[in-house]
Structures are given as structure tokens and as C-alpha cells.
């Protein structure tokens, strides 16, 4: 008996000494942290006064080793430089100084093998070290955007960051080529690649083929050459290549089955838009404007289409071109649709001053003169379809391949000049009277193609002169003032950047939720209590009918009042017999739920469990559900909600959801978000209720409506079909709620005709044009110009959120950004505003779980303009 006793005493001593160590002794990283503090000008709003850096605001240490693991200073106006000693913080996992005014060189972090995220977004850094990525084997995200760097190139050390998921350096004075290091073998997880607004040169690297990149943003970076490599980038969901010098035809898109966003505007693409693109089911936005695309105007079934300013034969989408146009295009297809021809081939009549084309008075093409145009590719056999052709001159180009034998069928042909090219093979036998000139083709007559360069393939990989296109840099526009929201990190950044910018206007933006709660705040408060059934029976008047607040899929909610007057809501879960295992799971789930605290989530105050009852106690929300105010306001004698209210409610819900989604250790998906689960306080601010309950119901029958969790009308299509649950399921429901807020209509309105039953389809139709859209807006909303602008933005957001393809839906971080900027605009300058940038570090009731990892998932869909 003695030994275990002694053991526990020793253990206790060990614990005490450990606690002593944690609380009074500095971290081994103190010297490096002091060096950091010394080289930064820390504002008063950041408390870095403690002798132990682990207690500094925005700094976290691991509790086991007391090493600094996390440094996060978001948008605090901090100036100064970063010291080289940062490299000594070898346990660092997150380093994030986004949206400050730091200057000087970014120091090398080489060797920090635990570093997962590095964020230097929007500062005044002047240089970036070439060895930055050396040994950064855990690095997942790096943001370098919007810094006034001296010109730099993507360093070779990038290859070592094999865990990379996001690489972002928008508007960062980046020069040189994109290195050819992106094969799937090297960066198996790289999904986001943002380099827009830089001064690159060269082409898309061949190793992009087979990469796992999903988002590729290379706007206005001065690249050239063909984009054929895209056809092998089958993971792509978003691509922006606008404002470059890309040439050649569009690639085959048939394998890009997840592609939702494609912007290719302002390049020099030529040729017919491939049906593989037109037919792409996943496509949501397509922008082809300002190119030299040919053939019929494509008819996309996509939400947002821009095909303006091209070389399409007719302006009506889907209408076929004149047959002569089709023949000529099929001929130049073999030459990769040369720019020089596309430039002058305007309209639907080749006889109307098309370069190289001569017609007779009947409109028949009689001569084709492509002499001396620098053409590459091959001679198409389709020349034989120009039946009236008398002269064909292809001399002095770089054509390869053979002379097709079909040309001998041209009955009127009198002259064929293919001299000075790179043709080979036997010259077919033409009629006696045809003048065939083949001089200046060294391999003419030989059976095999010339050894060095093989003939170009008809799909045009020979086009666009790939080898010679390393053009000199040109001055490209740099969008200096664009604020980008880039992934989880960036999305939060944007909020803060807005804050910093809008400071002048005396209003504020709410601080982001996804910030670090200081360790000393967490876990030292026992909020949740186990309450006896008897007490709850008493306070709810024995669960009397009069106390019912509402009924839902999970059970009935009763109002209760404690002795001291505090009101509570008691949810009595539908009873079903629970076995011990289910009970244990239920308890552990409750334990987790009670820790989830956010101002926009209804707090679980207590619970009660026995063999007959499962009761959950929540804070009481006096104004009841959102549906009551949105749909039943008349019956309930309420006033309809003003647009500003709706907007703040939307933002509250977005923030609550962002928080639920953003918890790293345990991320929650609500799965049943709807106005009936959104509760309002007396100030009409909103909180989400019933989160996490789906997982608490043992038998899987948690919804009144469906076998799977969720409610018809709010269910994302993929969830209904596959049962596949991701956070994007909630984003869909959120989009539906936005539509309801705009229209005052229910998600599923059985009084409507079949095709207007579901709000999503109906809303999409109404949203197409301005008039119908205005009709769709809830008539109780007072519409002035500002309101309409605000509503339009929310409508756009609603559309993104409820996109069919989950990949197209934004993360909640993005919705928070969009909505908070609107609320910002709308909010009258109330001096008593409860929002303050000071709440970044939270209060206990705000949040008790520190986020230990930043969600590195995709965030930016829908925010395409900024990256
Ligand atoms: C960081 O490490 C370097 C090399 O080990 C050392 O010279 C330097 O003094 C360290 N910095 C601090 C602040 O301890
Ligand atoms: C921030 O809030 C804390 C407590 O809520 C307060 O003590 C502190 O003075 C505030 N700081 C600023 C800069 O407003
Ligand atoms: C950072 O750059 C901005 C914009 O160029 C400038 O206004 C600001 O003064 C700079 N801050 C510092 C500390 O250099
Ligand atoms: C890029 O670098 C050049 C040369 O140092 C400098 O003149 C220019 O201002 C920089 N551009 C940006 C956007 O910082
Ligand atoms: C890629 O991500 C997966 C899943 O998160 C992880 O298991 C794997 O180690 C990562 N690969 C690399 C090279 O980091
Ligand atoms: C696409 O991938 C295939 C198979 O790996 C390869 O043969 C082809 O050259 C690639 N095409 C492009 C344009 O990269
Ligand atoms: C297409 O892109 C151009 C510029 O790149 C832009 O001006 C235009 O608004 C875009 N069209 C759509 C429908 O987004
Ligand atoms: C060209 O010639 C053929 C007869 O060979 C005739 O049928 C056709 O209508 C003519 N015109 C055009 C515009 O094709
Ligand atoms: C940042 O600092 C500038 C002056 O240094 C000040 O005008 C501005 O209000 C500060 N912004 C914030 C968000 O503190
Ligand atoms: C009322 O009692 C509850 C439970 O004991 C307690 O949590 C709450 O703070 C009390 N409220 C007031 C206003 O005293
Ligand atoms: C929701 O959060 C926002 C900001 O975090 C806050 O202004 C609002 O009051 C919250 N809602 C409630 C009901 O507390």
C-alpha cells in the first residue's frame, strides 16, 4: 500500500514543480523573443510587458516544453523590423504578422522544421531571402502578398517545402520564370498558387502537368506561350490567367471536371472554343473577353459568362458559322490558329478582306495566300474542301509534315507553292497542268521526318513558338491597393486590413473570431453544471405546455426561470432508450459542446442526464427564432425586419458558423442550419442554436424531414445525394438563409408552383435580371439606392454560397469578410458600439478554446477579383 501512495506524492510534487516551472519561469526562447520585442515597436494595445514571453499577447507556448509555438500579431500597426534571431525559435509552428507596417528584410527562417504557416501579407518588407524555404519541411502556407519587395525570383529552396499547400505572393515584385518544379511528386499537397500582379517572364512550366493545384491565379504577370498544360491539371477548380500574352488555342478541358471559375480575358487566344469547355458541367464563371477566339460564339449554360470582344463569326451564341468559315478554321487549326490570321478574320464572310483569302464574284474562295506569315504546324487535308481553289501559296513558313494527297482532288488548282518550309515525304501526283513548287524543303522526297524537330501535332503544341517566347519584361500594371483575402489566414487578414483602412471613418469592424485566446484565459472556469432533473422540472413548471418555446427535430424547448430571475431555455430531447455506450458518447459530446463558446453561438449552460431524461440547458434568447421574425411576424404582432437588421443577423450567423468551422482540433459542421435554429436576443443580434446536436442523436433519425440530418430546402445537393458531409454543406444552407433574408420567402414554399418550390432555383432565375430581382426582394424592405446596392452584393454572395458544386462555395471566412464590409458601410456611427478591436484576445465568455492550427483549406472562392 505504501508504494503507490509514495508514488502519488512524488507525482504530485512533479506536477507542482511543473506548474511552478510553467508559471514563473521563462521560456527557453526568451532571448530570441526579447530580440524580437526589441526590434519591433509594439503598440500599447499589445501587452508584451510580462517577463515571460509566453504571457505576451499573441504568443503561445507549448505547455509541455514551454517553447514558443505561435506568434501572431494581426493588423496592429506594428512597425520595426524582424530580427535574424527568429531562426532560434525552433518550435515555432505559426508566424503571422499580417497587415502591419514592418519594414526591412524578411529574415531567413531556414531550418524551422516545425513551421507550418508563415504570413507576411501586407507589410512594408523590402526583401525576401533566397534560403527562406531551406529545411521548412512542415511549411503548409506562405503569404508574401502586397509588400514593396526589391525584385526577387522564386528561390530554388522552395523545392524543400514539400508540404506546401498554399503559395501566395500577389503584387510582390516577383520576377523571373516560374521554376519547373511542380510535378506531383514534389508538392503532392500544393493546391493554391497565387502570383497575380507581378513581372514574370516565360511560360507555364511543363511540370504543372499532373500537379494537384486547384487554384491558379496568374493575372497580369506577363506570361506568354500556350496553356496546353492545363489539360493535364485535373484538380483545377479556379483559374485566372487574364492580362497576359498567352497565345494558341484553348486546351481540351474534358478532364477538368471540377473547374468552376475560368478567366482567360485579355490574352491572344485564338481558335474555336472547344466543346469540352462549353459542355463542362462544373463551370460557374467563364470570362473569355478580349481575345482572338474564332468560330461560333459559344453558348455556355453558366451563371456568369463574358465572351465579348473576340473574333467570333456571329454574335448570337450557339449559331453555326458559314461553311467556308468552318473550312478555313479547320485548315488553320493544323497551324494552331495563327494570331496574324485571327486578327483580320472578322465576321462571317471570308471574302470580306480576310487576310490571305481571295474569292470570285460568287463568293467562292479561289486563292489562299499564306506566304511568309511565320506559320508553323502542318498542311491540312481540308484545303481539298475549297473546291474552287486555283492558287495555294504556303511558301516561306515553318510548316512541317507532308503534302496531303487530298490536295490532288482540287479540280481547278493551277498553282501550289510550298517552297521554303520544313516538309518531308513524297510529293503526291498532281495533274500535269498544276505548277507544284517544293524547293527549299531539305527533306522533301525523304520518307521519314527530319530528325531534330518532329512534326507538330495538330492540337497545336507546336504553336505559339514556345522556345522563343522568353520575351523581355514589359511593364505590367500593379494593383497596389487591392486587398486580398487569401485562404483562412488571408480571409481573417482582410477583416483587419479593412479595420485599419476604415479607422478614419470612426466606425469599426468586429475583430476576427479565429484568433488565439491566450492560454492563461483558457480552461480555468467551470461554466457548465450538471443540474438535477428536479430543478429543471420545477423551473419549467413541470414541462408545462405554457412554457413551450418551440419544437424541433431534436425535441421540445421549454422556458424556465431560476430563483434569482435568470431565464433559461431547457431542451428536452426526444427520449429514446440509450445503451451505456451511447450514453458515454453523449456525455463526451456534451463535454466538447460545453467548451464551444462564441458570442454568436447559444451557450450550453448545463445538462442533465438520467435513464429517462436528456435535458440541455441553454441561455434564453428573448426574441425567439429568426423564422418568427422573418416569416411569421404578422401573426406574432411583430414589425418586419429592416434590411440593416437582416444584414447584422447574417453577419452574426456567418461569424458563429466560421467559428464552428474553424476550430482546428474539433471542427463542427452544423448540418441543420435554418432560421428556426437561429435565435435572437433583445438587441436583435443573432446566435446559432442546436449546433453539434446532430452527432448526439444515437439512432440517426434526427430530422423531422429527412433520413439524413438537415431539412429540405436547406440541404446541399451533394449531401442529399451522397450523404457526404463537409463544411460546405453549412455554407449552402447559409446561402439559402441569405436568400430568405432578401426575399422574405421560405426555403421551401409549398404554396408556389413546381418550379418555384425551392428558393434556390427560383432565386437564381429572379436574379438574372434587374427587374425580376427587384420583384423578388421582400416588399417590407425599404428600397433606396444604397439598400439595393447592399442587397445586390448579398444576393451575389448567396448565389456563391448555394452553388451546386461544393468547391465553388466560399468558406465562411469569406462570407464574414463580405458581410462585415457591408455592415461597416451601413452602421451609423454609434459611439456605444460594442465592437472593438480590443476584443481580439477575447474574454472568457467569448471563446475558451484556443485555436491551435490555422485552417489551411480553400477559402477564397468567390473572391476572385482580389487575387
Ligand atoms: C540565436 O542563435 C545564434 C546561433 O546559435 C546565436 O548566435 C544568437 O545569439 C541566438 N540569439 C539569441 C537572441 O539568443
Ligand atoms: C482592452 O480591454 C481590456 C479589458 O477588457 C482593458 O483593460 C484595456 O484597457 C483595453 N485596451 C484598450 C487599448 O482599449
Ligand atoms: C509602409 O508603406 C505605406 C505605404 O507605402 C506607407 O504609407 C507607410 O508610411 C509605410 N510605413 C512605414 C513604417 O514605413
Ligand atoms: C519593384 O522593384 C523596383 C526596383 O527596386 C522598384 O522601383 C518598384 O517600386 C518595386 N515595385 C513595387 C510594386 O514595389
Ligand atoms: C499531404 O497531406 C496529407 C493529408 O493531410 C498528409 O498525410 C501528407 O503527409 C501530406 N504530404 C506532404 C508531402 O506533406
Ligand atoms: C499530358 O499528360 C500526358 C500523359 O502524362 C502527356 O503525354 C502529355 O504530354 C501531357 N500534355 C501536356 C500538354 O502537358
Ligand atoms: C471579364 O474580365 C474583364 C477583365 O478581365 C472584366 O472587366 C469583366 O467584368 C469580366 N466579366 C465578367 C462577367 O466577370
Ligand atoms: C461556290 O460554288 C459552288 C459551285 O461549285 C456553289 O454551289 C456555291 O453556292 C458557291 N458559293 C459559295 C458561297 O459557296
Ligand atoms: C496606425 O498608425 C497610424 C499612425 O502611425 C495611425 O494614424 C492609425 O490610426 C493607426 N491605425 C490603427 C488601426 O491603429
Ligand atoms: C442566477 O443563478 C445562476 C445559477 O446559480 C447563476 O449562474 C447566475 O449567475 C445567477 N444570476 C444572477 C443575476 O445572479
Ligand atoms: C454576435 O457577434 C457579434 C460580434 O462578434 C456581436 O456584435 C453580437 O452582439 C453577437 N450576437 C449576440 C447575440 O451576442
Amino acid at each position: 500500500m505504501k508504494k503507490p501512495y509514495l508514488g502519488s506524492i512524488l507525482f504530485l510534487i512533479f506536477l507542482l514543480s511543473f506548474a511552478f516551472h510553467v508559471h514563473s519561469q521563462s521560456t527557453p526562447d526568451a532571448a530570441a523573443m526579447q530580440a524580437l520585442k526589441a526590434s519591433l515597436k509594439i503598440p500599447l494595445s499589445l501587452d508584451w510587458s510580462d517577463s515571460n514571453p509566453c504571457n505576451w499577447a499573441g504568443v503561445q507556448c507549448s505547455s509541455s516544453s514551454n517553447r514558443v509555438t505561435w506568434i501572431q500579431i494581426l493588423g496592429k500597426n506594428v512597425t520595426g523590423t524582424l530580427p535574424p534571431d527568429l531562426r532560434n525559435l525552433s518550435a515555432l509552428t505559426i508566424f503571422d504578422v499580417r497587415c502591419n507596417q514592418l519594414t526591412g528584410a524578411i529574415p531567413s527562417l531556414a531550418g524551422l522544421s516545425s513551421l507550418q504557416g508563415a504570413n507576411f501579407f501586407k507589410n512594408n518588407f523590402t526583401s525576401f531571402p533566397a534560403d527562406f524555404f531551406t529545411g521548412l519541411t512542415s511549411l503548409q502556407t506562405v503569404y508574401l502578398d502586397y509588400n514593396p519587395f526589391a525584385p526577387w525570383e522564386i528561390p530554388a529552396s522552395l523545392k524543400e517545402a514539400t508540404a506546401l499547400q498554399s503559395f501566395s505572393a500577389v503584387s510582390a515584385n516577383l520576377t523571373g520564370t516560374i521554376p519547373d518544379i511542380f510535378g506531383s511528386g514534389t508538392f503532392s499537397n500544393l493546391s493554391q498558387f497565387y502570383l497575380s500582379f507581378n513581372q514574370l517572364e516565360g511560360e507555364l512550366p511543363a511540370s504543372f502537368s499532373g500537379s494537384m493545384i486547384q487554384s491558379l491565379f496568374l493575372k497580369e504577370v506577363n506570361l506568354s506561350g500556350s496553356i496546353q498544360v492545363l489539360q493535364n491539371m485535373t484538380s483545377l477548380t479556379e483559374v485566372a490567367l487574364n492580362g497576359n500574352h498567352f497565345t494558341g488555342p484553348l486546351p481540351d478541358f474534358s478532364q477538368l471536371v471540377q473547374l468552376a471559375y475560368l478567366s482567360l480575358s485579355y490574352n491572344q487566344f485564338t481558335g474555336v472554343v472547344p466543346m469540352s469547355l462549353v459542355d463542362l458541367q462544373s463551370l460557374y464563371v467563364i470570362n473569355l473577353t478580349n481575345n482572338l477566339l474564332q468560330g461560333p460564339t459559344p453558348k455556355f449554360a453558366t451563371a456568369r459568362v463574358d465572351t465579348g470582344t473576340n473574333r467570333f463569326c456571329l454574335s448570337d451564341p450557339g449559331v453555326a458559322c458559314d461553311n467556308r468559315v468552318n473550312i478555313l478554321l479547320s485548315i488553320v487549326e493544323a497551324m494552331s490558329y495563327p494570331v496574324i490570321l485571327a486578327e483580320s478574320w472578322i465576321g462571317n464572310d471570308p471574302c470580306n478582306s480576310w487576310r490571305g483569302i481571295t474569292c470570285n464574284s460568287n463568293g467562292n474562295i479561289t486563292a489562299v495566300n499564306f506566304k511568309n506569315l511565320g506559320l508553323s504546324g502542318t498542311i491540312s487535308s481540308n484545303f481539298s474542301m475549297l473546291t474552287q481553289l486555283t492558287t495555294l501559296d504556303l511558301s516561306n513558313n515553318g510548316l512541317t509534315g507532308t503534302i496531303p494527297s487530298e490536295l490532288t482532288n482540287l479540280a481547278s488548282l493551277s498553282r501550289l507553292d510550298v517552297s521554303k518550309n520544313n516538309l518531308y515525304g513524297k510529293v503526291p501526283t498532281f495533274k500535269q497542268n498544276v505548277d507544284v513548287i517544293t524547293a527549299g524543303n531539305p527533306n522533301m522526297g525523304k520518307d521519314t521526318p527530319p530528325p531534330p524537330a518532329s512534326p507538330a501535332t495538330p492540337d497545336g503544341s507546336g504553336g505559339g513558338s514556345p522556345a522563343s517566347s522568353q520575351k523581355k519584361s514589359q511593364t505590367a500594371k500593379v494593383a497596389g491597393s487591392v486587398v486580398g483575402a487569401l485562404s483562412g489566414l488571408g480571409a481573417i487578414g482582410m477583416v483587419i486590413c479593412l479595420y485599419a483602412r476604415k479607422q478614419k471613418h470612426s466606425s469599426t469592424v468586429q475583430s476576427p473570431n479565429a484568433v488565439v485566446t491566450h492560454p492563461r484565459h483558457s480552461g480555468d472556469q467551470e461554466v457548465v453544471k450538471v443540474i438535477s432533473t428536479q430543478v429543471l422540472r420545477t423551473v419549467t413548471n413541470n414541462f408545462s405546455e405554457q412554457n413551450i418555446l418551440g419544437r424541433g427535430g431534436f425535441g421540445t424547448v421549454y422556458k424556465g426561470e431560476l430563483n434569482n430571475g435568470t431565464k433559461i431555455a431547457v431542451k428536452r430531447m426526444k427520449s429514446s432508450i440509450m445503451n451505456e455506450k451511447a450514453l458515454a458518447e453523449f456525455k463526451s459530446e456534451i463535454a466538447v459542446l460545453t467548451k464551444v463558446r462564441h458570442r454568436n453561438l447559444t451557450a450550453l449552460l448545463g445538462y442533465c442526464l438520467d435513464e429517462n431524461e436528456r435535458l440541455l440547458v441553454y441561455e434564453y434568447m428573448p426574441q425567439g427564432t429568426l423564422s418568427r421574425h422573418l416569416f411569421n411576424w404578422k401573426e406574432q404582432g411583430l414589425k418586419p425586419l429592416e434590411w440593416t437588421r437582416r444584414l447584422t443577423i447574417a453577419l452574426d450567423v456567418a461569424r458563429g458558423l466560421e467559428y464552428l468551422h474553424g476550430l482546428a482540433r474539433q471542427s463542427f459542421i452544423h448540418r441543420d442550419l435554418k432560421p428556426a435554429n437561429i435565435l435572437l436576443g433583445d438587441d436583435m443580434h443573432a446566435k446559432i442554436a442546436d449546433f453539434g446536436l446532430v452527432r448526439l442523436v444515437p439512432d440517426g433519425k434526427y430530422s423531422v424531414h429527412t433520413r439524413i440530418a438537415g431539412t429540405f430546402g436547406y440541404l446541399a445537393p451533394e449531401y442529399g445525394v451522397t450523404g457526404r458531409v463537409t463544411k460546405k454543406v453549412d455554407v449552402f444552407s447559409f446561402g439559402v438563409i441569405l436568400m430568405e433574408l432578401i426575399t422574405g420567402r421560405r426555403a421551401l414554399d409549398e404554396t408556389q408552383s413546381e418550379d418555384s418550390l425551392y428558393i434556390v432555383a427560383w432565386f437564381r432565375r429572379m436574379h438574372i435580371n434587374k427587374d425580376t430581382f427587384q420583384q423578388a426582394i421582400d416588399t417590407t424592405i425599404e428600397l433606396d439606392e444604397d439598400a439595393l446596392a447592399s442587397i445586390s452584393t448579398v444576393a451575389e454572395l448567396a448565389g456563391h454560397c448555394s452553388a451546386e458544386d461544393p468547391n465553388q462555395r466560399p468558406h465562411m471566412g469569406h462570407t464574414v469578410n463580405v458581410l462585415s464590409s457591408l455592415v461597416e458601410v451601413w452602421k451609423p456611427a454609434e459611439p456605444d458600439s460594442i465592437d472593438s478591436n480590443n476584443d481580439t484576445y477575447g474574454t472568457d465568455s467569448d471563446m475558451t478554446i484556443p485555436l491551435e492550427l490555422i485552417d489551411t483549406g480553400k477559402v477564397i472562392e468567390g473572391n476572385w477579383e482580389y487575387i
Side-chain angles (χ1 to χ4, degrees):
M1 274 312 232
K2 244 181 174 158
K3 258 192 178 155
Y5 184 60
L6 187 66
S8 25
I9 287 185
L10 285 176
F11 183 64
L12 201 68
I13 289 171
F14 168 75
L15 274 185
L16 283 173
S17 70
F18 182 67
F20 180 77
H21 177 75
V22 168
H23 289 297
S24 69
Q25 285 230 305
S26 217
T27 157
D29 292 321
M33 292 302 287
Q34 289 298 344
L36 176 64
K37 183 178 169 183
S39 74
L40 297 178
K41 292 205 181 65
I42 300 290
L44 289 175
S45 58
L46 269 187
D47 186 358
W48 277 29
S49 56
D50 201 290
S51 60
N52 183 356
C54 293
N55 293 332
W56 294 355
V59 175
Q60 275 194 346
C61 296
S62 77
S63 49
S64 52
S65 66
N66 220 21
R67 301 288 313 271
V68 172
T69 54
W70 189 316
I71 300 173
Q72 195 176 41
I73 309 170
L74 306 186
K76 289 289 182 186
N77 233 358
V78 177
T79 57
T81 59
L82 296 178
D85 312 87
L86 276 183
R87 253 176 104 158
N88 300 19
L89 300 173
S90 57
L92 199 61
T93 58
I94 299 288
F95 184 75
D96 183 357
V97 291
R98 198 163 6 145
C99 303
N100 285 292
Q101 296 194 41
L102 299 176
T103 53
I106 289 183
S108 170
L109 299 183
L112 296 189
S113 59
S114 300
L115 192 68
Q116 295 172 15
N119 197 324
F120 303 95
F121 184 93
K122 275 215 139 207
N123 273 284
N124 285 12
F125 290 113
T126 51
S127 70
F128 185 75
D131 65 345
F132 184 86
F133 298 101
T134 307
L136 300 193
T137 48
S138 301
L139 190 67
Q140 295 171 10
T141 57
V142 59
Y143 295 91
L144 303 167
D145 319 59
Y146 304 110
N147 275 294
F149 291 124
W152 59 291
E153 298 193 13
I154 296 180
S157 65
L158 183 63
K159 273 204 303 289
E160 300 190 25
T162 49
L164 211 58
Q165 295 172 4
S166 295
F167 181 79
S168 190
V170 172
S171 193
N173 230 351
L174 198 53
T175 60
T177 56
I178 301 177
D180 200 3
I181 55 173
F182 293 95
S184 53
T186 318
F187 294 105
S188 49
N189 288 342
L190 182 63
S191 68
Q192 289 152 338
F193 195 69
Y194 306 127
L195 296 185
S196 297
F197 312 121
N198 284 297
Q199 302 269 3
L200 303 175
E201 55 190 59
E203 303 186 13
L204 297 180
S207 59
F208 269 177
S209 168
S211 81
M212 304 306 285
I213 295 175
Q214 296 175 6
S215 301
L216 180 66
F217 282 76
L218 293 166
K219 294 188 203 178
E220 297 185 27
V221 289
N222 207 27
L223 291 178
S224 55
S226 118
I227 62 163
Q228 293 298 318
V229 68
L230 252 54
Q231 79 190 37
N232 283 348
M233 299 176 73
T234 52
S235 302
L236 285 174
T237 63
E238 311 165 289
V239 177
L241 300 177
N242 44 299
N244 286 288
H245 310 287
F246 289 116
T247 53
L250 303 185
D252 176 5
F253 284 90
S254 51
Q255 297 204 61
L256 277 64
V257 293
Q258 304 190 61
L259 187 66
Y261 175 85
L262 180 65
S263 178
L264 300 177
S265 59
Y266 292 91
N267 280 286
Q268 290 198 300
F269 292 113
T270 52
V272 179
V273 176
M275 285 312 286
S276 60
L277 180 58
V278 176
D279 291 340
L280 207 57
Q281 293 292 309
S282 54
L283 209 56
Y284 187 66
V285 176
I286 172 91
N287 196 336
L288 300 175
T289 194
N290 277 277
N291 279 291
L292 297 167
L293 293 166
Q294 298 162 291
T297 298
K299 189 173 183 179
F300 287 99
T302 297
R304 246 168 71 194
V305 184
D306 196 342
T307 58
T309 321
N310 270 293
R311 290 287 183 268
F312 298 127
C313 60
L314 295 163
S315 52
D316 285 346
V319 178
C321 302
D322 186 280
N323 195 41
R324 295 165 302 166
V325 173
N326 291 338
I327 295 170
L328 286 174
L329 289 178
S330 73
I331 288 168
V332 293
E333 182 183 1
M335 301 163 177
S336 293
Y337 302 102
V339 167
I340 194 166
L341 295 175
E343 275 172 341
S344 85
W345 286 13
I346 296 166
N348 201 23
D349 180 5
C351 301
N352 188 1
S353 353
W354 280 29
R355 180 162 196 156
I357 307 299
T358 309
C359 300
N360 62 18
S361 54
N362 296 330
N364 289 104
I365 295 169
T366 54
V368 171
N369 179 3
F370 289 169
K371 180 179 178 168
N372 218 357
L373 296 181
L375 305 180
S376 56
T378 61
I379 302 173
S380 168
S381 61
N382 289 348
F383 274 114
S384 65
M385 294 164 84
L386 300 171
T387 54
Q388 311 289 307
L389 203 62
T390 60
T391 305
L392 176 55
D393 188 346
L394 303 172
S395 62
N396 203 14
N397 284 296
L399 297 173
T400 54
T402 60
I403 301 173
S405 60
E406 288 85 349
L407 300 193
T408 60
N409 301 336
L410 286 166
S412 311
L413 193 68
S414 62
R415 184 161 170 271
L416 172 68
D417 189 348
V418 295
S419 60
K420 296 192 195 156
N421 276 290
N422 203 11
L423 303 168
Y424 74 95
K426 232 175 89 199
V427 180
T429 316
F430 287 88
K431 276 181 296 189
Q432 290 259 301
N433 56 348
V434 183
D435 189 6
V436 180
I437 306 159
T438 62
N441 287 286
N443 297 298
M444 207 70 204
K446 295 182 190 159
D447 275 347
T448 48
S454 59
T457 50
D459 77 4
S461 52
S465 57
S468 64
S469 60
Q470 307 262 319
K471 291 181 195 153
K472 271 213 97 175
S473 291
Q474 277 176 248
T475 320
K477 274 183 276 165
V478 176
S481 65
V482 183
V483 179
L486 299 160
S487 106
L489 288 168
I492 300 158
M494 179 153 168
V495 180
I496 294 161
C497 292
L498 274 174
Y499 175 76
R501 279 194 306 142
K502 300 210 170 170
Q503 185 82 336
K504 295 183 208 79
H505 308 303
S506 87
S507 50
T508 53
V509 167
Q510 297 143 10
S511 81
N513 345 344
V515 292
V516 189
T517 298
H518 202 274
R520 70 187 157 199
H521 287 316
S522 62
D524 53 7
Q525 211 187 14
E526 178 61 37
V527 195
V528 178
K529 299 183 169 70
V530 181
I531 305 167
S532 84
T533 317
Q534 193 44 50
V535 167
L536 294 178
R537 248 180 219 292
T538 311
V539 301
T540 57
N541 247 332
N542 202 13
F543 300 118
S544 91
E545 284 284 318
Q546 273 99 52
N547 284 43
I548 290 180
L549 291 170
R551 285 177 224 267
F554 301 108
T556 309
V557 188
Y558 299 85
K559 183 177 167 176
E561 197 171 326
L562 302 181
N563 285 338
N564 63 12
T566 303
K567 293 200 175 80
I568 55 171
V570 180
K571 174 159 284 192
R572 192 182 196 185
M573 308 274 285
K574 282 183 177 159
S575 48
S576 69
I577 292 138
M578 259 199 193
N579 61 27
E580 237 166 77
K581 183 164 170 284
L583 200 69
E585 278 172 14
F586 187 86
K587 277 185 191 161
S588 74
E589 285 285 351
I590 296 260
V592 174
L593 283 184
T594 54
K595 287 196 200 118
V596 177
R597 289 206 180 262
H598 183 269
R599 286 182 303 179
N600 297 120
L601 300 174
T602 49
L604 182 58
L605 301 176
Y607 64 92
C608 162
L609 274 182
D610 60 34
E611 57 268 40
N612 304 315
E613 291 279 10
R614 280 175 293 154
L615 302 167
L616 301 176
V617 182
Y618 290 96
E619 59 185 318
Y620 174 67
M621 297 291 285
Q623 288 300 325
T625 68
L626 173 60
S627 35
R628 175 169 173 260
H629 289 264
L630 197 53
F631 308 125
N632 303 333
W633 55 274
K634 255 188 209 149
E635 301 93 274
Q636 303 264 342
L638 300 165
K639 276 195 292 189
L641 292 170
E642 300 158 48
W643 177 244
T644 46
R645 286 264 174 264
R646 297 182 198 214
L647 208 50
T648 45
I649 289 168
L651 178 58
D652 288 346
V653 174
R655 294 172 61 89
L657 210 49
E658 183 194 32
Y659 176 76
L660 275 182
H661 287 181
L663 280 174
R665 282 252 173 100
Q666 183 131 17
S667 166
F668 287 84
I669 300 170
H670 191 296
R671 298 184 226 207
D672 198 13
L673 191 68
K674 53 185 174 184
N677 282 336
I678 293 167
L679 301 177
L680 300 172
D682 269 333
D683 58 358
M684 295 304 276
H685 269 292
K687 297 191 184 205
I688 300 174
D690 273 4
F691 54 91
L693 288 200
V694 164
R695 291 163 30 148
L696 289 181
V697 182
D699 56 5
K701 285 183 190 154
Y702 12 73
S703 168
V704 276
H705 296 293
T706 59
R707 274 186 295 116
I708 42 179
T711 306
F712 275 133
Y714 301 91
L715 266 186
E718 78 278 7
Y719 187 26
V721 173
T722 64
R724 193 171 78 106
V725 183
T726 67
K727 295 172 195 170
K728 296 301 183 75
V729 167
D730 286 344
V731 179
F732 184 93
S733 310
F734 182 70
V736 174
I737 292 168
L738 291 180
M739 292 176 183
E740 294 180 314
L741 286 169
I742 292 170
T743 62
R745 246 191 72 160
R746 286 178 186 276
L748 179 65
D749 185 348
E750 271 137 357
T751 66
Q752 300 287 330
S753 65
E754 184 86 341
D755 63 341
S756 299
L757 208 57
Y758 290 102
I759 199 169
V760 177
W762 172 78
F763 189 88
R764 271 192 203 134
R765 278 203 314 279
M766 301 299 275
H767 193 210
I768 282 172
N769 86 50
K770 232 177 158 181
D771 291 337
T772 54
F773 178 56
Q774 287 209 23
Q775 285 164 31
I777 297 172
D778 191 340
T779 49
T780 67
I781 297 177
E782 271 180 55
L783 271 190
D784 57 24
E785 209 174 293
D786 290 343
L788 192 58
S790 166
I791 291 170
S792 301
T793 308
V794 176
E796 186 94 347
L797 181 65
H800 283 150
C801 289
S802 55
E804 258 180 45
D805 180 348
N807 288 315
Q808 295 166 16
R809 295 176 210 145
H811 274 228
M812 289 312 297
H814 171 66
T815 66
V816 172
N817 289 350
V818 172
L819 292 168
S820 49
S821 66
L822 292 175
V823 168
E824 171 82 351
V825 169
W826 268 87
K827 197 179 284 171
E830 288 168 35
D832 62 346
S833 168
I834 41 165
D835 311 322
S836 132
N837 199 35
N838 188 23
D839 66 5
T840 307
Y841 296 96
T843 59
D844 289 329
S845 67
D846 203 16
M847 190 168 78
T848 55
I849 300 184
L851 300 179
E852 299 210 341
L853 256 180
I854 288 175
D855 180 2
T856 48
K858 252 156 56 84
V859 162
I860 38 65
E861 297 103 318
N863 204 14
W864 297 299
E865 314 311 327
Y866 302 117
I867 44 180

